[in-house]
Amino acid sequence: MLLFLVFLLIYVSIIIGNGLIIYIITTDLTLDTPMYFFLKSLAFLEIFYTSVTLPKILVNFVAQNKSISFVGCAAQIYFILFLGGTECFLLAAMAYDRYVAICNPLHYKLIMRKELCLGLVTGSMTVNMPVHTGQIYLLFTLPFCGSREIDNFFCDIPPILELACADTFISEVYMVAASALILILPFFLILASYVKIISAILKMPSVEGRKKAFATCSSHLIVVSLFYGSATIVYVSPRSKETLIMSKLISLFYTILIPMFNPIIYSLRNREVKK
C-alpha cells in the first residue's frame, strides 16, 4: 500500500506537471515559438509514455492477480519502445532548433517554420513504427516453454528474452541494431549540434549573451544526459545477471522518474516559463 501511494503520487505529479507545461504553452501567445512547440510535444509524449506502464504497476501493488496477457505484454513493450524512440528523435529536433537559434539567428524564423517543426515531430514517430514492429514480431515468435514470471516491474525486452527457451541471438542482434538507429544516431546528431553551439557561444563577445545562450541549452542537455544514459545501459550494454538487476532499476528511472523531472527541469531553469 505504501508503494502504491508513492507511485500514485509520482503518476499524478507527472500528469499535473506535464499538463501545466502544455496548458501554459497553449494559452500564452508569447510562447508560440518552435522551442516551446517541441517542449509541448515532449510533455504530451511523457504523459502517454508513463501511462503505458504506471497504471498497470499501480494495479499490481493492490491486486492479488499480478498477471498480464501475452498480447498485453507485447503491446506494452511496443508502446514503450515506440514512445521512447520518438522521444530520442524529438530531443534531436530540439537540439537542432537550439543550433539554428544560436548559430544562425538571422534565418531562424525562415528555417524553423511551423511546417518543418510539425514534420520533425511526425517524422520522429514515423521512423519508429516499422523498426519496433519487427522487433516485437521477432521477440514474441520465440517459444516460452518454462517459467513465465517476468523479473521486472513491467514488460521489457531484456527480461522477456531471459524467459525464451530457444536461441535468442537474432532478437539480441536486432535489439542492438535498433538501439543503434533509435538511440545512437539521434545522440550523435545532438552531439554534433552542441559542438557547433558551444563553439558559437564561446565566440560571443558579450558575457551576458554567453550566459543566456548556455542557460537556454542547459535544460535540454540535462534531460538528454538523463534519458540517453539510462536507456543506453538497458538496451545496449552486454547482458549478465548483474546488468539485468541494474537494468531493472534503471528502467524505472527512465520510464517514470525522468518524465516527472522534465517539467521541473524546464520550468525552474526557464525564465519565460516561470513568468
Side-chain angles (χ1 to χ4, degrees), residues 46 56 64 83 97 121 183 239 249:
E46 299 293 30
K56 180 62 180 169
Q64 292 296 318
L83 294 169
D97 171 66
V121 172
L183 277 172
R239 285 199 302 148
L249 296 171

Side-chain angles (χ1 to χ4, degrees), residues 60-78:
N60 286 346
F61 282 133
V62 292
Q64 292 296 318
N65 181 10
K66 294 174 172 50
S67 64
I68 185 167
S69 69
F70 193 78
V71 174
C73 188
Q76 193 174 64
I77 295 178
Y78 177 79

Side-chain angles (χ1 to χ4, degrees), residues 158-189:
I160 296 295
L161 283 173
E162 288 297 308
L163 300 179
C165 54
D167 185 14
T168 59
F169 177 75
I170 294 173
S171 291
E172 289 181 46
V173 169
Y174 194 102
M175 182 177 75
V176 173
S179 300
L181 174 65
I182 305 299
L183 277 172
I184 298 170
L185 176 62
F187 178 74
F188 277 113
L189 292 173

Side-chain angles (χ1 to χ4, degrees), residues 11-244:
Y11 189 43
V12 170
S13 68
I14 289 167
I15 301 295
I16 292 173
N18 286 286
L20 276 172
I21 293 283
I22 294 165
Y23 173 75
I24 290 164
I25 294 169
T26 304
T27 55
D28 193 333
L29 294 176
T30 61
L31 302 181
D32 186 21
T33 64
M35 183 175 108
Y36 290 106
F37 171 76
F38 290 127
L39 182 54
K40 183 169 71 171
S41 302
L42 182 65
F44 268 115
L45 196 67
E46 299 293 30
I47 290 171
F48 287 114
Y49 190 47
T50 50
S51 297
V52 174
T53 55
L54 256 176
K56 180 62 180 169
I57 291 172
L58 289 169
V59 169
N60 286 346
F61 282 133
V62 292
Q64 292 296 318
N65 181 10
K66 294 174 172 50
S67 64
I68 185 167
S69 69
F70 193 78
V71 174
C73 188
Q76 193 174 64
I77 295 178
Y78 177 79
F79 284 109
I80 288 169
L81 296 175
F82 170 67
L83 294 169
T86 302
E87 184 163 343
C88 290
F89 282 98
L90 187 57
L91 290 171
M94 292 170 82
Y96 177 69
D97 171 66
R98 293 298 83 212
Y99 159 74
V100 176
I102 291 168
C103 299
N104 205 352
L106 297 177
H107 296 96
Y108 179 72
K109 288 186 178 179
L110 186 66
I111 296 169
M112 298 305 295
R113 303 183 309 278
K114 283 189 176 181
E115 294 82 6
L116 177 65
C117 296
L118 194 61
L120 288 170
V121 172
T122 52
S124 300
M125 293 188 286
T126 307
V127 167
N128 281 277
M129 286 180 182
V131 174
H132 299 310
T133 301
Q135 198 161 4
I136 294 299
Y137 174 78
L138 281 175
L139 183 63
F140 283 91
T141 49
L142 289 168
F144 301 97
C145 46
S147 169
R148 297 197 177 194
E149 188 173 315
I150 302 163
D151 185 21
N152 203 19
F153 301 103
F154 50 86
C155 287
D156 205 357
I157 295 176
I160 296 295
L161 283 173
E162 288 297 308
L163 300 179
C165 54
D167 185 14
T168 59
F169 177 75
I170 294 173
S171 291
E172 289 181 46
V173 169
Y174 194 102
M175 182 177 75
V176 173
S179 300
L181 174 65
I182 305 299
L183 277 172
I184 298 170
L185 176 62
F187 178 74
F188 277 113
L189 292 173
I190 293 168
L191 199 63
S193 296
Y194 274 103
V195 167
K196 295 274 189 182
I197 288 167
I198 291 166
S199 175
I201 290 172
L202 293 175
K203 290 175 184 175
M204 287 180 180
S206 164
V207 176
E208 192 61 35
R210 286 201 295 268
K211 281 183 180 178
K212 189 177 179 182
F214 272 122
T216 307
C217 299
S218 59
S219 300
H220 182 251
L221 274 173
I222 292 167
V223 172
V224 167
S225 303
L226 290 172
F227 184 80
Y228 271 92
S230 54
T232 302
I233 291 169
V234 173
Y235 293 108
V236 181
S237 60
R239 285 199 302 148
S240 66
K241 282 191 176 180
E242 290 76 20
T243 56
L244 280 172

